[in-house]
Amino acid sequence: MAMARECQYSAQLIEDFLALARDNTNNDLETCGVIGAFLRGGTFYVTTLIIPKQESTSSSCQALNEEDIFAILSEQSLFPLGWIHTHPSQSCFMSSVDLHTQYSYQIMVPEAVAIVMAPTDKSRGYGIFRLTDPGGMDILKECQEKEFHSHREPAGGRPLYEHCSHVFVNPNLILEIFDLR
Ligand SMILES: [Zn+2]
Ligand SMILES: [Zn+2]
């Protein structure tokens, strides 16, 4: 695939999201949000965090009324650059269900990312991930399973997903938050 265009986000995204998730986190419930970005000069700038109405458990989070998310994104001419969610008691990794969610974003925007916040993971508090392409994207495309399940490994020893190398912090970006809960 062509080299991924760079993405920049404000460190505020991480801090503000954790603060907005705190009540859920303390109750061992996940929280999820969608990030919106504009594209200028070949770089994506994350400017918007949308916290949708949602239903969650300790290991899953489902956005409700997804049309509300896309209404805000299109009103502001933003790309859905991925999503952010907490693992309140699990480690920092991508579950099989997370991989399917990420697939749906990465199909829309190849640079889309999954930010996983794991405040109780002592070794890694957060990670920014994407499906490998080729590799994970091909396997997820063919997978029809729901709920938690296992995936076969991509050919050639590639992982299903990887840490993003195209994402950078930009301290000058201002973040706008829409909390729809
Ligand atoms: Zn997850
Ligand atoms: Zn699957």
PDB file of all heavy atoms in Angstrom, residues 101-125:
ATOM      1  N   THR A 101     -14.156  -3.521  14.490  1.00  0.00           N
ATOM      2  CA  THR A 101     -14.498  -2.092  14.511  1.00  0.00           C
ATOM      3  C   THR A 101     -13.447  -1.300  13.733  1.00  0.00           C
ATOM      4  O   THR A 101     -13.779  -0.443  12.899  1.00  0.00           O
ATOM      5  CB  THR A 101     -14.564  -1.581  15.963  1.00  0.00           C
ATOM      6  OG1 THR A 101     -15.518  -2.360  16.675  1.00  0.00           O
ATOM      7  CG2 THR A 101     -14.949  -0.114  16.011  1.00  0.00           C
ATOM      8  N   GLN A 102     -12.184  -1.617  13.978  1.00  0.00           N
ATOM      9  CA  GLN A 102     -11.108  -0.911  13.286  1.00  0.00           C
ATOM     10  C   GLN A 102     -11.195  -1.126  11.776  1.00  0.00           C
ATOM     11  O   GLN A 102     -10.935  -0.207  10.991  1.00  0.00           O
ATOM     12  CB  GLN A 102      -9.743  -1.366  13.839  1.00  0.00           C
ATOM     13  CG  GLN A 102      -8.536  -0.818  13.109  1.00  0.00           C
ATOM     14  CD  GLN A 102      -8.460   0.711  13.128  1.00  0.00           C
ATOM     15  OE1 GLN A 102      -9.162   1.378  13.894  1.00  0.00           O
ATOM     16  NE2 GLN A 102      -7.634   1.257  12.262  1.00  0.00           N
ATOM     17  N   TYR A 103     -11.552  -2.333  11.378  1.00  0.00           N
ATOM     18  CA  TYR A 103     -11.694  -2.613   9.938  1.00  0.00           C
ATOM     19  C   TYR A 103     -12.688  -1.636   9.307  1.00  0.00           C
ATOM     20  O   TYR A 103     -12.439  -1.089   8.232  1.00  0.00           O
ATOM     21  CB  TYR A 103     -12.154  -4.063   9.727  1.00  0.00           C
ATOM     22  CG  TYR A 103     -12.409  -4.406   8.281  1.00  0.00           C
ATOM     23  CD1 TYR A 103     -11.351  -4.708   7.424  1.00  0.00           C
ATOM     24  CD2 TYR A 103     -13.707  -4.406   7.758  1.00  0.00           C
ATOM     25  CE1 TYR A 103     -11.572  -5.006   6.090  1.00  0.00           C
ATOM     26  CE2 TYR A 103     -13.935  -4.700   6.429  1.00  0.00           C
ATOM     27  CZ  TYR A 103     -12.869  -5.001   5.589  1.00  0.00           C
ATOM     28  OH  TYR A 103     -13.094  -5.280   4.264  1.00  0.00           O
ATOM     29  N   SER A 104     -13.804  -1.412   9.989  1.00  0.00           N
ATOM     30  CA  SER A 104     -14.834  -0.543   9.408  1.00  0.00           C
ATOM     31  C   SER A 104     -14.330   0.893   9.254  1.00  0.00           C
ATOM     32  O   SER A 104     -14.728   1.594   8.326  1.00  0.00           O
ATOM     33  CB  SER A 104     -16.125  -0.595  10.238  1.00  0.00           C
ATOM     34  OG  SER A 104     -15.918  -0.009  11.509  1.00  0.00           O
ATOM     35  N   TYR A 105     -13.436   1.331  10.145  1.00  0.00           N
ATOM     36  CA  TYR A 105     -12.847   2.669   9.988  1.00  0.00           C
ATOM     37  C   TYR A 105     -11.774   2.692   8.906  1.00  0.00           C
ATOM     38  O   TYR A 105     -11.692   3.624   8.107  1.00  0.00           O
ATOM     39  CB  TYR A 105     -12.250   3.162  11.312  1.00  0.00           C
ATOM     40  CG  TYR A 105     -13.291   3.652  12.277  1.00  0.00           C
ATOM     41  CD1 TYR A 105     -13.721   2.866  13.329  1.00  0.00           C
ATOM     42  CD2 TYR A 105     -13.859   4.908  12.122  1.00  0.00           C
ATOM     43  CE1 TYR A 105     -14.697   3.308  14.211  1.00  0.00           C
ATOM     44  CE2 TYR A 105     -14.835   5.367  12.987  1.00  0.00           C
ATOM     45  CZ  TYR A 105     -15.253   4.553  14.028  1.00  0.00           C
ATOM     46  OH  TYR A 105     -16.220   5.001  14.876  1.00  0.00           O
ATOM     47  N   GLN A 106     -10.963   1.648   8.892  1.00  0.00           N
ATOM     48  CA  GLN A 106      -9.819   1.645   7.970  1.00  0.00           C
ATOM     49  C   GLN A 106     -10.264   1.479   6.512  1.00  0.00           C
ATOM     50  O   GLN A 106      -9.551   1.879   5.595  1.00  0.00           O
ATOM     51  CB  GLN A 106      -8.831   0.548   8.390  1.00  0.00           C
ATOM     52  CG  GLN A 106      -7.385   1.005   8.375  1.00  0.00           C
ATOM     53  CD  GLN A 106      -6.442  -0.010   9.014  1.00  0.00           C
ATOM     54  OE1 GLN A 106      -6.604  -0.342  10.189  1.00  0.00           O
ATOM     55  NE2 GLN A 106      -5.484  -0.505   8.269  1.00  0.00           N
ATOM     56  N   ILE A 107     -11.472   0.890   6.324  1.00  0.00           N
ATOM     57  CA  ILE A 107     -12.057   0.802   4.985  1.00  0.00           C
ATOM     58  C   ILE A 107     -12.426   2.212   4.496  1.00  0.00           C
ATOM     59  O   ILE A 107     -12.260   2.543   3.336  1.00  0.00           O
ATOM     60  CB  ILE A 107     -13.336  -0.088   5.030  1.00  0.00           C
ATOM     61  CG1 ILE A 107     -12.926  -1.552   4.933  1.00  0.00           C
ATOM     62  CG2 ILE A 107     -14.332   0.256   3.962  1.00  0.00           C
ATOM     63  CD1 ILE A 107     -12.495  -1.960   3.540  1.00  0.00           C
ATOM     64  N   MET A 108     -12.930   3.043   5.426  1.00  0.00           N
ATOM     65  CA  MET A 108     -13.333   4.404   5.060  1.00  0.00           C
ATOM     66  C   MET A 108     -12.123   5.292   4.823  1.00  0.00           C
ATOM     67  O   MET A 108     -12.083   6.060   3.864  1.00  0.00           O
ATOM     68  CB  MET A 108     -14.203   5.028   6.169  1.00  0.00           C
ATOM     69  CG  MET A 108     -15.582   4.435   6.286  1.00  0.00           C
ATOM     70  SD  MET A 108     -16.613   5.348   7.479  1.00  0.00           S
ATOM     71  CE  MET A 108     -16.040   4.682   9.050  1.00  0.00           C
ATOM     72  N   VAL A 109     -11.152   5.226   5.760  1.00  0.00           N
ATOM     73  CA  VAL A 109      -9.947   6.057   5.677  1.00  0.00           C
ATOM     74  C   VAL A 109      -8.759   5.153   6.003  1.00  0.00           C
ATOM     75  O   VAL A 109      -8.642   4.671   7.123  1.00  0.00           O
ATOM     76  CB  VAL A 109     -10.001   7.225   6.699  1.00  0.00           C
ATOM     77  CG1 VAL A 109      -8.749   8.088   6.578  1.00  0.00           C
ATOM     78  CG2 VAL A 109     -11.258   8.064   6.520  1.00  0.00           C
ATOM     79  N   PRO A 110      -7.875   4.896   5.032  1.00  0.00           N
ATOM     80  CA  PRO A 110      -6.770   3.953   5.279  1.00  0.00           C
ATOM     81  C   PRO A 110      -5.872   4.351   6.449  1.00  0.00           C
ATOM     82  O   PRO A 110      -5.236   3.502   7.055  1.00  0.00           O
ATOM     83  CB  PRO A 110      -5.982   3.974   3.962  1.00  0.00           C
ATOM     84  CG  PRO A 110      -6.949   4.435   2.932  1.00  0.00           C
ATOM     85  CD  PRO A 110      -7.909   5.361   3.635  1.00  0.00           C
ATOM     86  N   GLU A 111      -5.817   5.647   6.781  1.00  0.00           N
ATOM     87  CA  GLU A 111      -4.969   6.104   7.886  1.00  0.00           C
ATOM     88  C   GLU A 111      -5.668   6.033   9.242  1.00  0.00           C
ATOM     89  O   GLU A 111      -5.087   6.425  10.259  1.00  0.00           O
ATOM     90  CB  GLU A 111      -4.520   7.552   7.640  1.00  0.00           C
ATOM     91  CG  GLU A 111      -3.470   7.696   6.559  1.00  0.00           C
ATOM     92  CD  GLU A 111      -4.071   7.749   5.161  1.00  0.00           C
ATOM     93  OE1 GLU A 111      -5.298   7.621   5.016  1.00  0.00           O
ATOM     94  OE2 GLU A 111      -3.287   7.922   4.196  1.00  0.00           O
ATOM     95  N   ALA A 112      -6.901   5.552   9.279  1.00  0.00           N
ATOM     96  CA  ALA A 112      -7.655   5.538  10.542  1.00  0.00           C
ATOM     97  C   ALA A 112      -6.926   4.718  11.603  1.00  0.00           C
ATOM     98  O   ALA A 112      -6.278   3.719  11.299  1.00  0.00           O
ATOM     99  CB  ALA A 112      -9.051   4.974  10.310  1.00  0.00           C
ATOM    100  N   VAL A 113      -7.047   5.166  12.841  1.00  0.00           N
ATOM    101  CA  VAL A 113      -6.333   4.531  13.953  1.00  0.00           C
ATOM    102  C   VAL A 113      -7.305   4.099  15.051  1.00  0.00           C
ATOM    103  O   VAL A 113      -8.416   4.614  15.156  1.00  0.00           O
ATOM    104  CB  VAL A 113      -5.286   5.490  14.567  1.00  0.00           C
ATOM    105  CG1 VAL A 113      -4.256   5.902  13.516  1.00  0.00           C
ATOM    106  CG2 VAL A 113      -5.946   6.716  15.188  1.00  0.00           C
ATOM    107  N   ALA A 114      -6.842   3.162  15.844  1.00  0.00           N
ATOM    108  CA  ALA A 114      -7.554   2.752  17.060  1.00  0.00           C
ATOM    109  C   ALA A 114      -6.656   3.110  18.240  1.00  0.00           C
ATOM    110  O   ALA A 114      -5.549   2.591  18.357  1.00  0.00           O
ATOM    111  CB  ALA A 114      -7.817   1.253  17.045  1.00  0.00           C
ATOM    112  N   ILE A 115      -7.140   4.028  19.076  1.00  0.00           N
ATOM    113  CA  ILE A 115      -6.386   4.387  20.280  1.00  0.00           C
ATOM    114  C   ILE A 115      -6.994   3.621  21.447  1.00  0.00           C
ATOM    115  O   ILE A 115      -8.194   3.736  21.704  1.00  0.00           O
ATOM    116  CB  ILE A 115      -6.426   5.901  20.555  1.00  0.00           C
ATOM    117  CG1 ILE A 115      -5.970   6.680  19.309  1.00  0.00           C
ATOM    118  CG2 ILE A 115      -5.552   6.248  21.769  1.00  0.00           C
ATOM    119  CD1 ILE A 115      -6.046   8.198  19.465  1.00  0.00           C
ATOM    120  N   VAL A 116      -6.186   2.797  22.098  1.00  0.00           N
ATOM    121  CA  VAL A 116      -6.660   2.002  23.242  1.00  0.00           C
ATOM    122  C   VAL A 116      -6.020   2.569  24.507  1.00  0.00           C
ATOM    123  O   VAL A 116      -4.795   2.680  24.591  1.00  0.00           O
ATOM    124  CB  VAL A 116      -6.288   0.513  23.083  1.00  0.00           C
ATOM    125  CG1 VAL A 116      -6.773  -0.284  24.299  1.00  0.00           C
ATOM    126  CG2 VAL A 116      -6.879  -0.055  21.798  1.00  0.00           C
ATOM    127  N   MET A 117      -6.873   2.952  25.463  1.00  0.00           N
ATOM    128  CA  MET A 117      -6.391   3.492  26.737  1.00  0.00           C
ATOM    129  C   MET A 117      -6.601   2.419  27.798  1.00  0.00           C
ATOM    130  O   MET A 117      -7.729   1.979  28.015  1.00  0.00           O
ATOM    131  CB  MET A 117      -7.215   4.719  27.143  1.00  0.00           C
ATOM    132  CG  MET A 117      -7.385   5.774  26.058  1.00  0.00           C
ATOM    133  SD  MET A 117      -5.891   6.695  25.728  1.00  0.00           S
ATOM    134  CE  MET A 117      -5.410   7.124  27.380  1.00  0.00           C
ATOM    135  N   ALA A 118      -5.523   2.020  28.444  1.00  0.00           N
ATOM    136  CA  ALA A 118      -5.618   0.959  29.448  1.00  0.00           C
ATOM    137  C   ALA A 118      -5.000   1.460  30.751  1.00  0.00           C
ATOM    138  O   ALA A 118      -3.839   1.181  31.053  1.00  0.00           O
ATOM    139  CB  ALA A 118      -4.907  -0.290  28.952  1.00  0.00           C
ATOM    140  N   PRO A 119      -5.807   2.221  31.522  1.00  0.00           N
ATOM    141  CA  PRO A 119      -5.220   2.880  32.702  1.00  0.00           C
ATOM    142  C   PRO A 119      -4.681   1.916  33.755  1.00  0.00           C
ATOM    143  O   PRO A 119      -3.858   2.325  34.573  1.00  0.00           O
ATOM    144  CB  PRO A 119      -6.376   3.728  33.258  1.00  0.00           C
ATOM    145  CG  PRO A 119      -7.599   3.356  32.502  1.00  0.00           C
ATOM    146  CD  PRO A 119      -7.204   2.591  31.282  1.00  0.00           C
ATOM    147  N   THR A 120      -5.105   0.662  33.746  1.00  0.00           N
ATOM    148  CA  THR A 120      -4.587  -0.268  34.758  1.00  0.00           C
ATOM    149  C   THR A 120      -3.453  -1.138  34.218  1.00  0.00           C
ATOM    150  O   THR A 120      -2.926  -1.986  34.931  1.00  0.00           O
ATOM    151  CB  THR A 120      -5.700  -1.188  35.306  1.00  0.00           C
ATOM    152  OG1 THR A 120      -6.285  -1.905  34.213  1.00  0.00           O
ATOM    153  CG2 THR A 120      -6.780  -0.397  36.013  1.00  0.00           C
ATOM    154  N   ASP A 121      -3.083  -0.940  32.957  1.00  0.00           N
ATOM    155  CA  ASP A 121      -1.972  -1.702  32.380  1.00  0.00           C
ATOM    156  C   ASP A 121      -0.670  -0.987  32.754  1.00  0.00           C
ATOM    157  O   ASP A 121      -0.379   0.092  32.257  1.00  0.00           O
ATOM    158  CB  ASP A 121      -2.126  -1.780  30.855  1.00  0.00           C
ATOM    159  CG  ASP A 121      -1.080  -2.681  30.201  1.00  0.00           C
ATOM    160  OD1 ASP A 121       0.031  -2.820  30.767  1.00  0.00           O
ATOM    161  OD2 ASP A 121      -1.373  -3.228  29.129  1.00  0.00           O
ATOM    162  N   LYS A 122       0.084  -1.610  33.640  1.00  0.00           N
ATOM    163  CA  LYS A 122       1.289  -0.939  34.167  1.00  0.00           C
ATOM    164  C   LYS A 122       2.390  -0.822  33.105  1.00  0.00           C
ATOM    165  O   LYS A 122       3.251   0.045  33.183  1.00  0.00           O
ATOM    166  CB  LYS A 122       1.823  -1.705  35.379  1.00  0.00           C
ATOM    167  CG  LYS A 122       0.877  -1.694  36.575  1.00  0.00           C
ATOM    168  CD  LYS A 122       0.897  -0.332  37.307  1.00  0.00           C
ATOM    169  CE  LYS A 122      -0.090  -0.285  38.457  1.00  0.00           C
ATOM    170  NZ  LYS A 122      -1.439   0.136  38.009  1.00  0.00           N
ATOM    171  N   SER A 123       2.384  -1.724  32.119  1.00  0.00           N
ATOM    172  CA  SER A 123       3.476  -1.702  31.150  1.00  0.00           C
ATOM    173  C   SER A 123       3.187  -0.765  29.979  1.00  0.00           C
ATOM    174  O   SER A 123       4.113  -0.262  29.343  1.00  0.00           O
ATOM    175  CB  SER A 123       3.780  -3.111  30.642  1.00  0.00           C
ATOM    176  OG  SER A 123       2.652  -3.662  30.010  1.00  0.00           O
ATOM    177  N   ARG A 124       1.918  -0.544  29.670  1.00  0.00           N
ATOM    178  CA  ARG A 124       1.589   0.322  28.532  1.00  0.00           C
ATOM    179  C   ARG A 124       0.233   0.959  28.772  1.00  0.00           C
ATOM    180  O   ARG A 124      -0.790   0.311  28.677  1.00  0.00           O
ATOM    181  CB  ARG A 124       1.558  -0.496  27.244  1.00  0.00           C
ATOM    182  CG  ARG A 124       1.226   0.332  26.009  1.00  0.00           C
ATOM    183  CD  ARG A 124       1.118  -0.543  24.774  1.00  0.00           C
ATOM    184  NE  ARG A 124       2.401  -1.109  24.389  1.00  0.00           N
ATOM    185  CZ  ARG A 124       3.369  -0.415  23.765  1.00  0.00           C
ATOM    186  NH1 ARG A 124       3.179   0.837  23.452  1.00  0.00           N
ATOM    187  NH2 ARG A 124       4.493  -0.997  23.455  1.00  0.00           N
ATOM    188  N   GLY A 125       0.228   2.250  29.062  1.00  0.00           N
ATOM    189  CA  GLY A 125      -1.017   2.936  29.385  1.00  0.00           C
ATOM    190  C   GLY A 125      -1.911   3.172  28.183  1.00  0.00           C
ATOM    191  O   GLY A 125      -3.128   3.209  28.306  1.00  0.00           O
TER     192      GLY A 125
END
